Amino acid sequence: MNTEDIDTLIDDESSASYLEMIETVISSLDHNNTAMVRRGENSSRLWKFQYGTIEVFVQITGEEDDDTLAVWSSILKLPAKDEPKLMRKLLEMNWSETYETAFAIYNNEVVVLTHRLVADLSPGEISRAITLVATIADDNDQALQQEFGNQ
């Protein structure tokens, strides 16, 4: 997402919904038009799109202040080779390389994730959350799979 796109989002913030802002960010990152969305109850949504070698998931539970935005991407299936070494590496990377994201384990997979309440969520924060998860996952998945993957 370039500066002009972010400026447009900020200018339109008062009239754009969180859903529209998320879709704008996803469309700027999804160069192969792979995005899919599943609509849930009320205004909840789950998007999935391809970014480089990984799939990114973006979920919003609604548009009230206590609803949440979550972004994640799976990068390695578990069990892995030398899991103690892998866990140490991920913790060290969490400290120095992940900004507002983190490596975690979900559904027996190593994921990169970020989540927060939607209260006071800005277009820039939405863009940063999705871009960070996508970039960090894509930058690290192949190296981690090569070093620690069992398949």
Side-chain angles (χ1 to χ4, degrees), residues 6-7 16 28 31 37 49 59 72 81 100-101 103 106-107 110 125-126 130 136 141 146:
I6 292 172
D7 289 343
S28 74
H31 300 293
V37 62
F49 69 97
Q59 181 178 40
W72 72 94
K81 292 185 274 185
E100 297 89 45
T101 70
F103 291 98
Y106 176 70
N107 282 343
V110 175
E125 290 171 302
I126 292 171
I130 296 170
I136 290 170
D141 66 323
Q146 184 175 0

Side-chain angles (χ1 to χ4, degrees), residues 102-119:
F103 291 98
I105 296 174
Y106 176 70
N107 282 343
N108 218 25
E109 296 179 332
V110 175
V111 298
V112 178
L113 68 94
T114 189
H115 58 87
R116 65 155 286 178
L117 293 175
V118 299

Side-chain angles (χ1 to χ4, degrees), residues 41-104:
E41 294 180 20
N42 302 321
S43 58
S44 70
R45 300 285 189 280
L46 174 64
W47 292 266
K48 176 176 83 168
F49 69 97
Q50 191 76 28
Y51 183 82
T53 57
I54 51 96
E55 286 186 329
V56 179
F57 295 87
V58 180
Q59 181 178 40
I60 191 166
T61 60
E63 297 198 63
E64 301 297 321
D65 283 353
D66 61 345
D67 284 311
T68 58
L69 169 70
V71 184
W72 72 94
S73 180
S74 174
I75 59 171
L76 180 67
K77 293 186 183 306
L78 296 175
K81 292 185 274 185
D82 199 355
E83 284 193 17
K85 182 179 177 185
L86 169 64
M87 296 305 138
R88 180 178 181 93
K89 181 176 186 76
L90 295 175
L91 285 172
E92 289 171 349
M93 291 171 74
N94 274 347
W95 173 254
S96 63
E97 299 176 30
T98 59
Y99 305 100
E100 297 89 45
T101 70
F103 291 98

